[in-house]
Amino acid sequence: MKDIHVISLGAGVQSTTMLLMACRGEFEPKPDLVIFSDTGWEPKNVYEHLEWLKDEVKKHGIEIAVTNNGNIKEDIVNSINDSKRFASLPFFVKNKDGSTSMVRRQCTNEYKIMPVRKAIRNHLGYVPKQRVKEMVHLWMGISTDEIQRVKESRERWITHRYPLIEKWMTRLDCMNWLQRNGYPVPPKSSCVGCPFHDNHMWLDMKRNDLESWNEAVEMDREIRRLPQFKNEIYLHRSCVPLDQVNFNENQIEMFEDCTGYCGV
């Protein structure tokens, strides 16, 4: 059985580090394929970083393939206007009894996982439902501080590999490696309106990326018109309109020089 090595690229700190380390021979073998699945709603600086990364890895004979399964922002807007199904984000729900809950997340599977699998199959020349004969080693950019995300593949023809965990690297180790080798530290890769953003991420967007902030505020307002939900839904865990959230800015400022999770 032939082994195929594929990097699933998110273009954030960890996956960028993993790819560049592979380019420099610090992870072997050299990957056969690198795939970035584009949700269509990343911040502009993530797309700028991706273009830089494409040029950088070309120097090492590696190409980054970009795939997608539609545009998540457009799909939400279309669902508001014509009630079409869309892969839901983990929106926060304000229930009628005053409690809060979260919508089941479908977006990662449909805009990230499934498009990568489809791109791998296309690369290997398979049509839908045809059995894959190769063993695909899918490299995931997960560091030790996210070890709870380590999972085995549910596909017989895919096995997951976690190179950063093999070297017991944290997110901070990745940042240090990038800086030590003269590479820029990437922005955090996630959808502009991802409900998983913490207060620091939202505040950083509000201060430093007004275009993305305005998009998120508008989307937060619009999702309450989604016909699929009986209760009010929000992007922020407080179940308050995003532009009215108190981010405790003075408290956050005390930690802006933190080199851990904050600000990366």
Side-chain angles (χ1 to χ4, degrees), residues 6 12 15 68 89 94 103 132 161 191 208-209 244:
V6 180
S15 63
N68 69 77
L89 279 66
K94 181 189 288 185
V103 175
V132 178
R161 182 184 176 190
C191 287
N208 301 310
D209 186 358
Q244 298 177 27

Side-chain angles (χ1 to χ4, degrees), residues 8-161:
S8 178
L9 181 72
V13 171
Q14 286 102 320
S15 63
T16 293
T17 303
M18 178 178 65
L19 173 54
L20 291 173
M21 290 178 75
C23 288
R24 298 165 68 99
E26 296 187 39
F27 291 126
E28 294 183 337
K30 181 179 177 181
D32 301 288
L33 183 64
V34 180
I35 304 173
F36 174 81
S37 184
D38 183 12
T39 67
W41 202 22
E42 294 276 357
K44 185 182 297 184
N45 57 2
V46 171
Y47 291 115
E48 291 171 350
H49 170 72
L50 178 63
E51 292 306 310
W52 172 86
L53 189 57
K54 285 180 182 178
D55 292 338
E56 184 63 30
V57 301
K58 274 184 183 178
K59 301 174 186 176
H60 301 272
I62 293 177
E63 298 281 339
I64 296 175
V66 177
T67 189
N68 69 77
N69 187 30
N71 182 304
I72 192 169
K73 179 185 175 184
E74 291 179 0
D75 290 347
I76 295 172
V77 171
N78 289 338
S79 184
I80 293 170
N81 294 331
D82 55 26
S83 301
K84 286 185 178 179
R85 180 199 173 273
F86 73 102
S88 61
L89 279 66
F91 299 126
F92 293 97
V93 183
K94 181 189 288 185
N95 301 309
K96 292 179 181 178
D97 62 2
S99 64
T100 60
S101 56
M102 182 178 280
V103 175
R104 184 169 68 89
R105 177 176 57 166
Q106 300 172 324
C107 49
T108 299
N109 184 57
E110 296 197 26
Y111 291 96
K112 287 290 187 182
I113 297 172
M114 289 173 55
V116 168
R117 288 178 185 165
K118 183 178 180 180
I120 294 171
R121 292 178 62 90
N122 289 343
H123 174 78
L124 296 175
Y126 291 102
V127 298
K129 297 185 179 181
Q130 187 177 3
R131 186 174 69 87
V132 178
K133 298 178 181 179
E134 293 83 355
M135 175 53 69
V136 175
H137 301 269
L138 188 61
W139 299 17
M140 315 287 281
I142 292 176
S143 53
T144 57
D145 28 24
E146 302 177 314
I147 203 164
Q148 73 278 2
R149 295 178 58 200
V150 171
K151 294 180 175 67
E152 293 187 5
S153 172
R154 296 181 180 179
E155 300 287 341
R156 288 185 178 181
W157 54 280
I158 295 177
T159 181
H160 289 167
R161 182 184 176 190

Side-chain angles (χ1 to χ4, degrees), residues 209-252:
D209 186 358
L210 194 58
E211 180 179 347
S212 292
W213 170 254
N214 288 334
E215 277 190 30
V217 167
E218 177 63 20
M219 181 60 74
D220 176 69
R221 184 180 300 117
E222 289 297 303
I223 59 175
R224 283 183 282 288
R225 297 200 296 120
L226 280 166
Q228 296 91 334
F229 300 98
K230 294 180 180 179
N231 296 324
E232 291 186 345
I233 57 174
Y234 297 84
L235 294 184
H236 193 268
R237 65 182 61 250
S238 65
C239 289
V240 171
L242 190 58
D243 57 352
Q244 298 177 27
V245 175
N246 178 7
F247 294 116
N248 297 316
E249 298 188 24
N250 293 334
Q251 183 178 352
I252 289 177

